[in-house]
Amino acid sequence: MVGSVGRSLLAAAVLAALAATTSDAQGPGAAADRIELAVDASKPGATIDRNLFGQFAEHLGRGIYEGVWVGPDSPIPNTRGIRNDVVAALKAIKVPNVRWPGGCFADDYHWRKGIGRREAQMNPDWGGVIEPNTFGTHEFMDFIDQIGSRAYLSVNVGSGSPQEAAEWLEYLTAAQPTALQKERAANGHPEPYFIPYLGIGNENWDCGGNMTPEYYLQQLKTFARYSRNFNPSQREGDRRMLKIAVGPGGGGPRWTEWTEVVMKGWKARQWSWDMDGLSLHNYTVVRFPASFKSVGFDEADYARILQATLEMDGLVKTHSAIMDKYDPEKKIALVVDEWGSWYAPLPGSTPGFLAQQNSVRDALIASLNLNIFARYADRVRMANIAQMVNVLQAMILTDKEKMVLTPTYHVFKMYVPFQDATFVPVTFNAGTYTHGTITLPRVDAMAARDASGTVWLALANIDPARPVLFDARLTGITARSATGEILTGPAIDSVNTFGAPDTVSPKPITATVNGDHVSITLAPKSVTVLAVRP
Ligand code: AHR
């Protein structure tokens, strides 16, 4: 398959790069080195599913309350309690799906407390605060509508029951006048909701009940059987609700065994249950408890974190290979529904709220991971960065009425053209970036062709000191122009703040087109997306 050819060429490029001259040998301030790319638009690969650009929004810290929900009586401009500035920003990045209500919180969530007369509960996972349940099912679905996205709900397997999950689905989707349909109508929504994605639990190997894979498999069968979608428009075809099983949380034997057990169970399934996806969770953290700083870090931490983020490639490869054994037709998607950087909490922030800043380094993390997902687009068809607002590697930070867009937000915006585009193989010798004992591929590149024939190139230069001259040789497209945006900042740990919101923001850039070559010099520590137009 073209996708796997692209991957093996990339692996070869990385190995060749590791054998090449190190950055230390050339020193900072050296002239831009030339990196040649071969972009072959005549060999289209898999579709880069728009769902790879999904978000995760858990009831955690200031993610939902303050970040999304301020309530209808707030002086902060809002529509039915949902803040307008956040909605407008999210609309602009075309969020394809939002995973909710957790996370670990999903296995503590009881949906009935979040409809009609609300019942407050504890949020024991995240700071032990009171969860008022003001933002419940109807508010989430309203939010999804306002940003033009789709719902990815996770049902409670850890502390819930198949009956509770079944009733939530009936409440959400029944069109006929059952008691639950009437209750939904009385709560303001007579029409059935569209629920395209359903997660069966969350991390049930850990915070979701510390289950063995065999025990979880049995739970999966039962919950998958009874979590029925009654929406008449979702009975079959493209709109059918896809069920996503809990998958591995790493790459060691514990995790490969988990994937084996669930996939083997799926292969031997009987008519009464099925699944469509297997999740993978992987944070860029190095070790727990998270201790790397999100701002004010040095180059050693920069290199170590980028090295950690590149481990995503090996994880995807490992679990894809197991899935291939049981599912060579790739019916089951690998769904990376929690990924992103996880740093030490910001000094002074509430314990358990997972508040962190977001720097130029996070822009590179976003780009490198999205590129990995695109290379495995035949298997990885959905991913959700953790988390959307105010938590971990967020798109948006808020403080009362103030809002700021992070470098990660800008990468997601620059990558919008890749949503549903067709993967195009790129081969290159990445060169190397070395700091101390860490040597990494110096650059990364990914390409795709959209429906209009434009080829989109994503180029990352992780070297913090040396610019790179990219020289792309194109096959399968005659380029007339190549323009785009570059994202960088003054330092590796530059961030956007409420007082200085544009320190790291995209700037227009134009490449030189000469015959079948497109060339451009890109700044150190930068992410660039170019539109190569025929
Ligand atoms: O995203 C924060 C937490 O990380 C999620 O709740 C959990 O699923 C994972 O461990």
Side-chain angles (χ1 to χ4, degrees), residues 104 107 202-211 246 254-255 258:
C104 296
D107 285 298
N202 171 76
E203 296 192 358
N204 297 98
W205 32 259
D206 193 359
C207 69
N210 202 219
M211 300 172 188
V246 166
R254 179 185 178 202
W255 305 117
W258 186 282

Side-chain angles (χ1 to χ4, degrees), residues 138 174-175 181 184-193:
H138 290 269
Q181 184 278 337
R184 186 188 70 229
N187 286 332
H189 207 276
E191 294 307 312
Y193 284 117

